Amino acid sequence: MPHSYCDSNLLAVLVSCYEDLKTFLTRKYGCRSLAEEVVQETWLRVRQLSQPIVVDHPRAYLFKMAANLAIDHLRSEKVRKRYISEDSQADEFPKDTPLPDRVLDYKQRLAVLRQAVDELPPRCREVFLLHKFEEYSHAEIAERLDISRNMVEKHIIRGLAHCRNRLRQAMP
């Protein structure tokens, strides 16, 4: 095992600027855990120096060393993620794609809802569709159809109740 030489000057500077270095890396790369890991790795590298080194600006040297280590870490993580995603793509659906059985369930529910809306009386259906699908407010619907806000609310409640009941009957 090679003899390790600890450059006590660099190590002392590292200990004194530990929190500043962690804050710098967290801000630069947006990840506190990465910053902590890189500061630890920097400490290990300084501890394992095999030769004493002369550094004019030890703090700047340590910040540059840590930034380079962070870049190395991010590059290796990017490569690792690329290989993992290439291997798993053939076996998995994309994360935002629902499973086929869920798609079938959604299609069945949609068909039931369409039928339920079609069964509503004409004025109730019109109010319901304006509110739920056109996103009109109660006041806008009342003005547009020349009915009271109270009547708008009654139609919406009736439409919701009818759709809910049809869904319950069709999908126990």
Side-chain angles (χ1 to χ4, degrees):
M1 182 170 191
H3 178 268
S4 70
Y5 173 84
C6 177
D7 189 325
S8 60
N9 183 38
L10 274 180
L11 200 54
V13 173
L14 180 57
V15 168
S16 72
C17 70
Y18 179 86
E19 289 300 322
D20 291 341
L21 188 55
K22 199 164 54 170
T23 301
F24 164 75
L25 291 168
T26 301
R27 286 185 182 150
K28 185 168 178 118
Y29 299 104
C31 181
R32 185 169 177 79
S33 62
L34 170 66
E36 290 171 351
E37 188 175 325
V38 168
V39 172
Q40 288 297 321
E41 190 172 342
T42 304
W43 185 82
L44 287 172
R45 295 272 177 110
V46 170
R47 293 269 310 168
Q48 294 173 348
L49 286 172
S50 59
Q51 299 287 326
I53 58 173
V54 177
V55 178
D56 290 333
H57 304 284
R59 182 178 165 95
Y61 176 82
L62 290 168
F63 273 68
K64 185 63 176 171
M65 177 191 283
N68 288 340
L69 289 170
I71 290 169
D72 290 346
H73 178 79
L74 291 171
R75 283 182 185 147
S76 65
E77 186 67 17
K78 185 178 179 182
V79 168
R80 186 186 69 80
K81 282 182 180 178
R82 186 175 71 225
Y83 283 114
I84 287 173
S85 69
E86 286 175 1
D87 289 343
S88 63
Q89 276 181 352
D91 299 333
E92 294 182 10
F93 290 99
K95 290 182 177 152
D96 59 346
T97 303
L99 297 173
D101 59 329
R102 295 289 257 180
V103 171
L104 180 60
D105 181 56
Y106 294 151
K107 285 182 179 180
Q108 290 172 342
R109 287 175 188 267
L110 185 59
V112 169
L113 283 173
R114 280 187 179 142
Q115 180 64 39
V117 170
D118 286 344
E119 294 169 354
L120 292 172
R123 179 56 65 130
C124 182
R125 180 175 50 245
E126 186 177 14
V127 169
F128 184 78
L129 291 173
L130 285 171
H131 180 65
K132 288 297 179 188
F133 297 99
E134 301 294 326
E135 298 180 356
Y136 279 61
S137 70
H138 291 198
E140 291 170 328
I141 295 169
E143 184 179 324
R144 180 177 176 154
L145 300 179
D146 196 29
I147 58 176
S148 69
R149 284 176 142 186
N150 190 27
M151 199 64 205
V152 169
E153 289 175 18
K154 286 180 182 179
H155 283 308
I156 292 170
I157 290 169
R158 183 177 181 190
L160 286 171
H162 182 73
C163 289
R164 183 179 54 246
N165 289 338
R166 286 292 186 237
L167 275 173
R168 283 184 184 155
Q169 290 170 357
M171 310 279 175

